[in-house]
Amino acid sequence: MFQQMMTFVRIAEMGSITRAARSLGLSLPMASRHLRWLENELGTTLVRRTTRALSLTEAGQEFASRARALLAGIDEAKEVVRPGRGATGRVVVAAPNALGTYQLSSIMPSLAAKHPRLCVELRLEDRPVDLVKEGVDLAIRAGSPPDRASLVARSLATNKRVLCAAPCFLARHGAIDSLSALAEAPCVLHARYGAIDSPAAPAASPSVHGSGPAVWDFDTPEGRKSIKVDGPLRTNNVVIIRDAVLAGVGVAWLPDYVIGDQLSAGRLVRLLPDAKLPPIRVYGIMPKQARQTAKVRAVLDILGTSLRAQAAQLAD
């Protein structure tokens, strides 16, 4: 039954019997036989098939979740009796595009070097992800940890938000030397789409959901102050925000890891250094059953160490 369960879990993760068979090195008829055997053994239908799509039944979703936990436990048991050989297996990691491109990309080679028998599938996408249904072992997210009993979170690092503008914008608009001046300036806003409580939701504050002004909170020598801002552009993609700010569209806050080079080169100017925006906290979020596996711990340990080192270097 082990092989049939493994085949079914891979079908559930990939949404395709063909792709699942290919990834496991099985023929398509063999993978289909594994699925039929499992459904006959359980006495229920696990997968709905149409000419265009494949989806799990309610029973299939429940069985996939439990089967994934059992398979993870087997992987963990193997690691216990293989001391000193490093983590093994496949780990699916989901992350937002910008965080993955600017921070995780430089970490992947060291992860591969330290754990050569570990296969990491890094999925970069800016949308809500259902970790259990989509077979994601670990989601790297910025914002607040999820308030869900089925998920656990581990703090990995803290990054700074930097308020900035381009020199061409400041030459045209005038200096932004106070929070009241900021409130009058056109700004480029961060938008949030999808389920806010999802582990895939982007950083929650300061931001905006829907239309209308955003409220940016600052910690100042005089205490916390909230400023209402608005502007001609809002998006959930920080690269587009960065490019708009570089082009002089307006003022924005951006993660320090996105604009460090632009600040050093003078293409962007840091504004109001005494007014601090709340930091961006980065978490590793995982289903409870994945928390204790050696392969997930190995990925978390390296990501946490490397992300904290990157944050410290940017702070220097």
Side-chain angles (χ1 to χ4, degrees):
M1 192 173 187
F2 172 79
Q3 184 64 52
Q4 288 82 1
M5 285 175 57
M6 189 163 58
T7 301
F8 170 67
V9 167
R10 192 63 58 87
I11 291 170
E13 291 174 350
M14 295 190 162
S16 165
I17 298 176
T18 301
R19 289 196 296 270
R22 189 180 301 122
S23 73
L24 292 170
L26 301 174
S27 67
L28 179 58
M30 179 60 72
S32 298
R33 281 199 293 274
H34 283 176
L35 177 59
R36 285 197 302 272
W37 184 91
L38 195 58
E39 289 181 326
N40 290 335
E41 178 72 14
L42 298 173
T44 188
T45 301
L46 300 174
V47 172
R48 297 188 193 91
R49 304 168 186 81
T50 68
T51 56
R52 293 187 176 182
L54 178 150
S55 62
L56 300 185
T57 64
E58 185 175 344
Q61 292 176 10
E62 179 66 24
F63 188 76
S65 175
R66 294 179 181 273
R68 193 176 291 114
L70 286 171
L71 293 173
I74 292 172
D75 286 342
E76 179 72 5
K78 290 178 180 178
E79 292 307 312
V80 170
V81 297
R82 291 175 178 170
R85 297 187 64 182
T88 64
R90 175 173 172 264
V91 180
V92 179
V93 180
N97 276 288
L99 193 150
T101 300
Y102 284 95
Q103 295 199 280
L104 302 188
S105 61
S106 62
I107 301 173
M108 291 299 108
S110 60
L111 180 57
K114 185 167 184 178
H115 297 286
R117 298 172 66 240
L118 195 64
C119 176
V120 177
E121 179 182 326
L122 180 59
R123 301 177 184 176
L124 301 183
E125 47 194 352
D126 298 321
R127 66 173 181 85
V129 174
D130 187 313
L131 276 69
V132 174
K133 283 186 180 179
E134 299 183 43
V136 174
D137 299 296
L138 176 65
I140 310 302
R141 292 295 180 241
S144 302
D147 184 18
R148 294 187 181 182
S150 61
L151 301 174
V152 293
R154 172 171 159 182
S155 178
L156 297 178
T158 301
N159 295 113
K160 292 181 179 179
R161 290 181 169 99
V162 178
L163 189 71
C164 60
C168 63
F169 171 83
L170 296 173
R172 184 178 70 250
H173 180 275
I176 306 293
D177 53 8
S178 67
L179 291 178
S180 58
L182 173 63
E184 299 298 323
C187 295
V188 184
L189 306 179
H190 295 252
R192 294 184 294 173
Y193 306 114
I196 300 307
D197 290 333
S198 163
S205 177
S207 191
V208 63
H209 185 238
S211 59
V215 176
W216 290 353
D217 297 322
F218 293 87
D219 290 318
T220 74
E222 294 78 34
R224 174 65 62 93
K225 293 188 178 181
S226 298
I227 303 298
K228 189 176 290 186
V229 297
D230 209 343
L233 175 65
R234 70 186 69 220
T235 175
N236 65 338
N237 187 290
V238 296
V239 175
I240 294 175
I241 293 174
R242 181 204 62 189
D243 290 349
V245 175
L246 284 167
V249 173
V251 179
W253 65 260
L254 282 158
D256 53 2
Y257 60 81
V258 173
I259 57 170
D261 291 342
Q262 284 77 18
L263 289 171
S264 299
R267 292 191 292 270
L268 289 177
V269 177
R270 188 188 301 262
L271 303 176
L272 305 178
D274 291 333
K276 309 292 186 185
L277 288 158
I280 301 171
R281 304 195 186 281
V282 180
Y283 294 90
I285 300 167
M286 65 216 102
K288 276 189 174 178
Q289 65 265 26
R291 173 176 49 176
Q292 298 300 325
T293 62
K295 60 184 182 180
V296 173
R297 284 201 307 271
V299 174
L300 276 171
D301 288 345
I302 288 184
L303 290 184
T305 299
S306 301
L307 288 172
R308 286 190 293 272
Q310 290 179 10
Q313 185 175 10
L314 286 165
D316 290 341

